[in-house]
């Protein structure tokens, strides 16, 4: 798209299709729970590429006991001494669960490699072990889906600027994000090298063009749904019971309890 602003999906069209897809995600969730399936979805991409917003739309109407987000902080000193994949294994799903990794073990192939947070030997070891690790997950029955959110340099710059000016989103902008501007080509080379080693038949990468956030969200969710052989699971039949007659209960006087002030009354 040469003019990404002109090509943006209309909000009304976006919201209608998003609602439909989210209804399908609920069906997918119930199928995962009923089948005891294990679904892992990896979200990777450049800073401000739209991963977080997409994850939010995926989980918006799902049961947090079934679908959870794994967004791991920096490793502790103890975790640094472990096998690299060990702390991620702890967050893999059990039967009937969905885990969405907001960044994942691919930190080593991206930010850690580019910023020098790992040694060249650790980086090369990761590229050798990652395909083996993911093949083991798939062989054990885990449904693994990997999405790379691709954003142009001009769009990323614009999103950084908006975050800088918006007090509600300023927290999303870190010194590491700003550093990525000056290392655009280094991150590009790292991504290309990562794809060469880890785009395997058992767990391929899927690239999501994300200059248009609305379009990216719909495309990613639709692809995820198409990639999993789920079907609608009939819900249990529930009936609202009749309220039983009163047995004489009386509510205590209101002045015996502390109530939240009515802030809304002054708006």
């Amino acid at each position: 798209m040469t003019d990404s602003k002109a090509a943006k999906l209309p909000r009304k069209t976006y919201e209608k299709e998003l609602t439909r897809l989210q209804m399908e995600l609920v069906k997918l969730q119930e199928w995962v729970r009923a089948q005891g399936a294990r679904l892992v979805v990896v979200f990777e991409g450049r800073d401000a590429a739209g991963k977080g917003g997409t994850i939010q739309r995926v989980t918006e109407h799902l049961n947090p006991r079934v679908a959870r987000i794994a967004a791991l902080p920096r490793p502790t000193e103890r975790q640094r001494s472990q096998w690299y994949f060990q702390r991620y294994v702890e967050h893999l799903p059990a039967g009937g669960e969905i885990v969405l990794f907001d960044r994942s073990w691919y930190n080593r192939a991206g930010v850690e490699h580019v910023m020098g947070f790992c040694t060249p030997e650790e980086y090369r070891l990761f590229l050798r072990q990652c395909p083996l690790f993911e093949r083991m997950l798939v062989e054990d029955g885990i449904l693994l889906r990997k999405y790379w959110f691709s954003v142009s340099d001009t769009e990323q710059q614009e999103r950084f600027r908006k975050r800088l000016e918006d007090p509600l989103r300023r927290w999303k902008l870190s010194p590491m994000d700003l550093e990525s501007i000056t290392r655009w080509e280094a991150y590009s080379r790292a991504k290309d090298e990562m794809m060469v080693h880890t785009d395997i038949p058992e767990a391929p990468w899927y690239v999501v063009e994300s200059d248009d956030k609305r379009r990216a969200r719909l495309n990613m969710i639709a692809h995820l749904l198409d990639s999993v052989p789920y079907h609608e699971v009939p819900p249990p039949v529930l009936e609202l019971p009749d309220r039983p007659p009163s047995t004489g209960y009386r509510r205590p006087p209101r002045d015996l309890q502390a109530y939240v002030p009515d802030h809304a009354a002054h708006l």
Side-chain angles (χ1 to χ4, degrees):
M1 295 181 293
T2 56
D3 188 348
S4 60
K5 293 186 180 300
K8 285 187 181 298
L9 199 65
R11 178 174 293 277
K12 187 174 182 180
T13 302
Y14 162 72
E15 291 178 348
K16 179 179 180 181
E17 179 62 7
L18 178 62
T19 298
R20 187 190 73 81
L21 291 174
Q22 287 177 328
M23 292 174 66
E24 290 300 315
L25 284 170
V26 172
K27 296 177 185 178
L28 170 64
Q29 167 193 264
E30 294 307 304
W31 176 84
V32 166
R33 181 161 56 181
Q35 295 292 320
R38 293 170 292 165
L39 175 59
V40 171
V41 187
V42 169
F43 292 79
E44 289 289 341
R46 295 184 185 273
D47 299 313
K51 301 180 296 297
T54 304
I55 292 172
Q56 180 182 347
R57 272 66 179 186
V58 170
T59 60
E60 188 172 7
H61 299 289
L62 300 185
N63 184 342
R65 294 184 178 86
V66 177
R68 54 187 169 85
I69 302 168
L72 277 60
R74 293 179 180 178
T76 64
E77 286 303 315
R78 181 175 183 275
Q79 289 171 331
R80 290 180 186 275
S81 69
Q82 297 174 341
W83 177 47
Y84 176 73
F85 294 95
Q86 188 168 335
R87 75 187 189 116
Y88 294 100
V89 169
E90 296 175 0
H91 294 271
L92 292 174
E97 293 180 351
I98 302 170
V99 176
L100 297 89
F101 279 93
D102 186 356
R103 294 203 181 276
S104 64
W105 46 88
Y106 283 100
N107 274 344
R108 175 137 296 177
V111 63
E112 290 190 16
H113 172 56
V114 172
M115 300 301 296
F117 296 154
C118 67
T119 67
E121 292 75 21
E122 289 172 330
Y123 170 68
R124 289 192 292 269
L125 181 62
F126 171 84
L127 293 180
R128 291 198 304 270
Q129 288 188 342
C130 184
L132 301 174
F133 172 66
E134 292 181 352
R135 286 188 181 104
M136 290 173 64
L137 299 183
V138 174
E139 287 174 0
D140 201 60
I142 288 178
L143 300 170
L144 177 59
R145 302 293 182 268
K146 304 186 308 192
Y147 293 97
W148 177 269
F149 284 71
S150 178
V151 64
S152 65
D153 53 351
T154 53
E155 180 65 21
Q156 184 193 55
Q157 188 92 358
E158 178 65 12
R159 291 177 187 178
F160 281 163
R161 184 190 63 78
K162 289 181 178 178
R163 288 181 180 184
L164 195 62
E165 298 172 352
D166 186 348
L168 295 178
R169 295 190 292 170
R170 181 74 179 269
W171 64 270
K172 291 185 174 184
L173 199 59
S174 70
M176 197 73 66
D177 295 332
L178 300 181
E179 182 73 19
S180 69
I181 295 176
T182 64
R183 301 186 183 228
W184 180 271
E185 289 191 1
Y187 273 104
S188 296
R189 294 188 184 97
K191 185 265 290 185
D192 293 343
E193 187 73 9
M194 177 194 77
M195 292 284 189
V196 168
H197 288 83
T198 63
D199 187 18
I200 57 177
E202 297 87 345
W205 277 105
Y206 298 102
V207 177
V208 182
E209 294 286 355
S210 62
D211 272 14
D212 181 349
K213 289 184 178 181
R214 296 173 187 170
R215 195 180 300 271
R217 292 165 185 167
L218 298 184
N219 290 343
M220 179 268 149
I221 296 172
H223 182 274
L224 174 64
L225 291 167
D226 287 342
S227 74
V228 179
Y230 75 98
H231 56 79
E232 186 170 2
V233 176
V237 178
L238 301 175
E239 293 185 6
L240 201 64
D242 295 331
R243 189 175 297 277
S246 172
T247 58
Y249 167 78
R250 292 183 178 275
R251 183 176 180 173
R254 292 177 62 89
D255 57 7
L256 295 180
Q257 296 174 324
Y259 284 82
V260 173
D262 191 359
H263 168 78
H266 303 288
L267 299 178

